[in-house]
């Protein structure tokens, strides 16, 4: 099957020439380093594309990618893996990495193939043009997550790590998340610093807990937690904040912002 774009022309340009130009401006010239995972935001490119671009510029993008996003629609399975096929973007088709997908299901039994969760979900889709821009040979395994507790998230993260280890080639995990939503820029930053501290300490359970205890509306905390569990199992020891910003930097409205953070994990 072909997963059709849900937000092309809305969150990012549907015109491939214009999209390439926009990405060239968002992704700075940098010396990329190897990473096990990243966290990148997923709002409209006009707001969060600069933050995402800085993260993608900072890391090498291998041929195999696992994209993990939250479930904004509430549809489908709690750990939904995109089925075999291709994803269409303005740049063309991106194949689903069937071998990596099968290994994820082998090692993470909570994961099930389910196209319903992915059909209208923007958080994974908006990452794909960035990946294509950085590596035209990229393939993806895509997970949409709405798991309820740390135990189940950890089991999926551990399974992902085992899948990557068995895969035997370089894989980059991309956790898609924005930070605090619809609070003042100052309040958002104060809350987000609590979450970013847990990320800096490589503390996945603490990240999930602090977001729940302090009502931090980090929409991708579940995929970020799973990615961090997997990254630690694969030997990651450090998280680096590449960029932190908010929508008010573009709109001028600092009273009700959505905040964005970009991080690398290695």
């Amino acid at each position: 099957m072909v997963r059709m774009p849900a937000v092309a022309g809305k969150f990012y340009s549907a015109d491939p020439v214009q999209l390439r130009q926009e990405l060239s401006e968002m992704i700075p010239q940098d010396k990329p380093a190897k990473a096990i995972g990243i966290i990148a935001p997923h709002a409209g490119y006009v707001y969060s594309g600069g933050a995402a671009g800085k993260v993608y510029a900072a890391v090498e993008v291998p041929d195999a990618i696992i994209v993990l996003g939250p479930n904004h629609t509430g549809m489908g399975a709690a750990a939904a893996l995109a089925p075999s096929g291709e994803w269409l973007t303005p740049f063309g088709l991106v194949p689903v990495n069937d071998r990596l997908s099968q290994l994820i299901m082998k090692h993470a039994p909570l994961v099930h193939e389910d196209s319903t969760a992915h059909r209208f979900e923007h958080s994974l889709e908006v990452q794909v043009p960035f990946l294509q821009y950085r590596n035209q040979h990229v393939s993806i395994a895509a997970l949409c997550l709405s798991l309820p507790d740390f135990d189940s998230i950890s089991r999926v993260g551990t399974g992902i790590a085992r899948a990557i280890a068995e895969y035997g080639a370089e894989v980059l995990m991309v956790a898609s998340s924005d930070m605090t939503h619809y609070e003042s820029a100052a309040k958002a930053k104060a809350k987000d610093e609590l979450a970013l501290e847990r990320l800096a300490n490589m503390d996945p359970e603490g990240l999930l807990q602090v977001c729940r205890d302090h009502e931090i509306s980090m929409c991708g905390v579940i995929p970020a937690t799973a990615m961090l569990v997997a990254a630690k199992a694969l030997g990651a020891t450090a998280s680096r904040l590449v960029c932190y910003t908010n929508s008010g930097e573009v709109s001028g409205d600092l009273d009700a912002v959505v905040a964005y953070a970009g991080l690398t994990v290695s």
Side-chain angles (χ1 to χ4, degrees):
M1 62 169 287
V2 175
R3 193 273 186 187
M4 302 300 290
V7 293
K10 299 174 183 177
F11 279 55
Y12 59 92
S13 175
D15 177 78
V17 176
Q18 184 178 341
L19 179 59
R20 188 168 297 278
Q21 177 61 34
E22 290 172 356
L23 288 171
S24 73
E25 295 169 359
M26 293 172 186
I27 300 174
Q29 295 295 317
D30 205 346
K31 292 183 177 179
K34 287 189 183 299
I36 293 174
I38 65 172
I39 297 175
H42 57 238
Y45 284 9
V46 65
Y47 296 111
S48 67
K54 289 182 176 68
V55 180
Y56 280 106
V59 296
E60 295 178 5
V61 176
D63 291 348
I65 308 292
I66 299 175
V67 188
L68 305 99
N71 187 327
H72 287 91
T73 68
M75 298 165 64
L81 182 72
S84 180
E86 296 168 306
W87 284 41
L88 181 65
T89 82
F91 290 152
L93 293 167
V94 172
V96 168
N97 188 312
D98 288 327
R99 180 164 173 265
L100 189 53
S101 296
Q102 291 299 318
L103 286 171
I104 291 170
M105 287 193 292
K106 171 185 173 181
H107 291 287
L110 290 175
V111 173
H112 303 281
E113 278 193 359
D114 178 13
S115 62
T116 307
H118 288 274
R119 188 170 295 131
F120 302 112
E121 179 56 53
H122 67 275
S123 65
L124 298 102
E125 176 184 327
V126 299
Q127 307 297 341
V128 180
F130 280 100
L131 293 164
Q132 289 174 289
Y133 184 88
R134 288 296 323 281
N135 179 355
Q136 62 181 338
H137 303 295
V138 76
S139 64
I140 61 170
L143 278 166
C144 189
L145 301 177
S146 56
L147 297 159
D149 54 63
F150 181 72
D151 179 65
S152 58
I153 298 167
S154 180
R155 286 159 63 193
V156 168
T158 301
I160 289 170
R162 290 172 178 163
I164 291 172
E166 186 174 342
Y167 186 71
E170 190 176 355
V171 177
L172 177 69
M173 292 180 289
V174 176
S176 184
S177 183
D178 298 335
M179 300 299 290
T180 290
H181 290 60
Y182 310 127
E183 299 197 41
S184 72
K187 287 183 178 178
K189 189 171 190 295
K191 281 189 169 185
D192 289 340
E193 282 177 348
L194 299 174
L196 293 171
E197 181 183 13
R198 294 299 93 214
L199 284 163
N201 289 336
M202 301 289 287
D203 179 7
E205 187 170 13
L207 172 65
L208 185 68
Q209 194 64 49
V210 78
C211 285
R212 293 181 172 173
D213 288 348
H214 294 271
E215 298 182 337
I216 301 168
S217 50
M218 179 183 178
C219 56
V221 65
I222 293 170
T225 299
M227 184 274 287
L228 202 57
V229 168
K232 289 183 70 175
L234 292 166
T237 57
S239 169
R240 180 173 76 91
L241 180 64
V242 176
C243 181
Y244 180 84
T245 186
N246 65 68
S247 58
E249 299 294 325
V250 174
S251 70
D253 178 6
L254 297 177
D255 293 328
V257 306
V258 178
Y260 315 112
L263 300 97
T264 64
V265 175
S266 57

